[in-house]
Amino acid sequence: MITVPAAPALRLPSSAPGLLLCAAGAAVALILGHAVGVAPLLLAILLGVALANTGLRREGAATRVLAPGTAVAAKNLLRVGVALLGLQLLVPDVLALGWGTLAVAVAVVALGIAGTLWLGARLGLGWTQRLLIACGFSICGAAAAAAVDGMISARTRELVTTVALVVVFGTAMIPLLPMLASGLGLDGTQAGMWAGAAVHEVAQVVAVGGALDNTAVAGAGGALTVAVTVKLARVALLAPVAAGVGIAARRRGATPADTRRPPLVPLFLVGFLACAALRATGILPAPALEVAHSVQVALLAAAMFALGTGVRLDMLRGIGWRPVALAGFATVWVTVIAFAGVLLVHPLG
């Protein structure tokens, strides 16, 4: 009698269930965000938090099955999304802004981070929390916070708090900044430059620039183009800032929980620079860039959903008023620095 060996069972990677869940959460966040006009990253976090506090248990079987995949999404997918952000950089357009405008972008990032770190220390916040808020509010929102988190390994609660605050305060600037620009009598170039230098997220800058182009503030239009280009000048500073954070983290020494020293130049930062260089060549067609942008947003949404699943409401109860106060200060501080820079480069007529 001939015995036929049984075919080996098909085994999915242990991360598959969690990754599928994160993909579903990201899809829901993207669809809802488009339908109701709310930032999908914030929706993704909220969905993850809601699931973690209603349908999952901290030590339940479902949590153990999903944990490998959510860990991959929260770390690996997040870093790939940050790297793809480099494809949004238009280096020639950024350089065409002129040295004055580029100096304003540098001042916003440098002074924004320094001032926020200073006040955060006065408020008694830990180094990782105030650093995440400082970089997120001074550079490019959630992507900057995620990049910095990759260098310092902050607690999940701190990163989630920072992203939520970026979305809340940045969204509040969408109607406020055009109103202020109109009241101050700014033209399209001035208003667009102010928006690009002050608003946190790239998507929020697009919303503000679009609003400016549809008002009397912009005159002949063009505020959106100026705003996005100035914003991308700030995004370009993500790489040197992240590298500087890595150096600072190494000098601070390893913590007892993690004996590894943070890398000076992590792989996702190399990917960010490579994507920026690829975009500068001009060989990528517009459809490919649109697809890459959609992939980037989807990856970040999946990562934010994964981060949300690791948050319990009892964790958030201990946040207190200090991070909120620091985020409010950072928003005002960056906005004032940006406005001062606008007046120096393009004085009021």
Side-chain angles (χ1 to χ4, degrees):
M1 180 176 182
I2 301 176
T3 302
V4 179
L10 179 62
R11 300 184 64 182
L12 294 175
S14 61
S15 59
L19 286 174
L20 289 174
L21 176 66
C22 292
V28 173
L30 291 170
I31 294 172
L32 284 179
H34 179 73
V36 302
V38 178
L41 298 189
L42 178 59
L43 283 177
I45 287 178
L46 294 177
L47 288 172
V49 172
L51 181 62
N53 289 275
T54 57
L56 297 177
R57 301 295 180 187
R58 183 183 297 272
E59 300 298 338
T63 300
R64 290 193 294 272
V65 171
L66 298 172
T70 55
V72 170
K75 182 177 180 180
N76 300 78
L77 296 189
L78 189 64
R79 294 181 178 185
V80 174
V82 172
L84 289 176
L85 183 64
L87 289 176
Q88 295 188 35
L89 274 179
L90 290 165
V91 177
D93 288 354
V94 171
L95 295 178
L97 292 171
W99 291 111
T101 304
L102 293 177
V104 172
V106 173
V108 166
V109 172
L111 296 178
I113 291 174
T116 305
L117 287 176
W118 177 84
L119 182 62
R122 305 288 83 75
L123 291 174
L125 288 173
W127 181 67
T128 52
Q129 178 70 91
R130 64 179 188 263
L131 187 61
L132 289 177
I133 293 176
C135 294
F137 280 67
S138 301
I139 306 176
C140 56
V148 171
D149 178 65
M151 312 298 293
I152 61 176
S153 297
R155 290 179 294 175
T156 298
R157 183 180 67 179
E158 293 176 333
L159 180 57
V160 170
T161 299
T162 301
V163 173
L165 291 172
V166 161
V167 173
V168 170
F169 281 92
T171 301
M173 295 181 72
I174 295 175
L176 289 177
L177 195 141
M179 291 172 57
L180 291 173
S182 179
L184 293 168
L186 303 185
D187 61 24
T189 299
Q190 293 167 329
M193 181 178 172
W194 191 20
V199 181
H200 309 321
E201 289 274 1
V202 174
Q204 294 163 351
V205 170
V206 172
V208 174
L212 290 171
D213 270 350
N214 291 322
T215 65
V217 171
L224 174 59
T225 301
V226 174
V228 172
T229 306
V230 173
K231 178 61 180 178
L232 292 180
R234 290 167 66 193
V235 173
L237 296 172
L238 175 61
V241 170
V245 169
I247 294 173
R250 289 168 66 92
R251 289 178 176 175
R252 290 177 69 91
T255 63
D258 187 356
T259 58
R260 297 172 300 172
R261 302 184 71 189
L264 281 176
V265 183
L267 187 59
F268 75 89
L269 191 53
V270 174
F272 175 87
L273 295 173
C275 287
L278 180 61
R279 177 67 188 271
T281 64
I283 63 175
L284 293 177
L289 292 172
E290 292 177 2
V291 171
H293 176 68
S294 298
V295 170
Q296 173 218 322
V297 174
L299 289 174
L300 290 178
M304 294 303 157
F305 178 86
L307 288 171
T309 62
V311 175
R312 298 300 190 276
L313 293 180
D314 56 353
M315 295 169 54
L316 297 177
R317 293 191 188 101
I319 289 177
W321 60 270
R322 290 177 176 82
V324 179
L326 184 60
F329 166 81
T331 299
V332 174
W333 177 234
V334 167
T335 302
V336 169
I337 297 170
F339 184 67
V342 170
L343 296 185
L344 287 174
V345 178
H346 299 287
L348 294 174

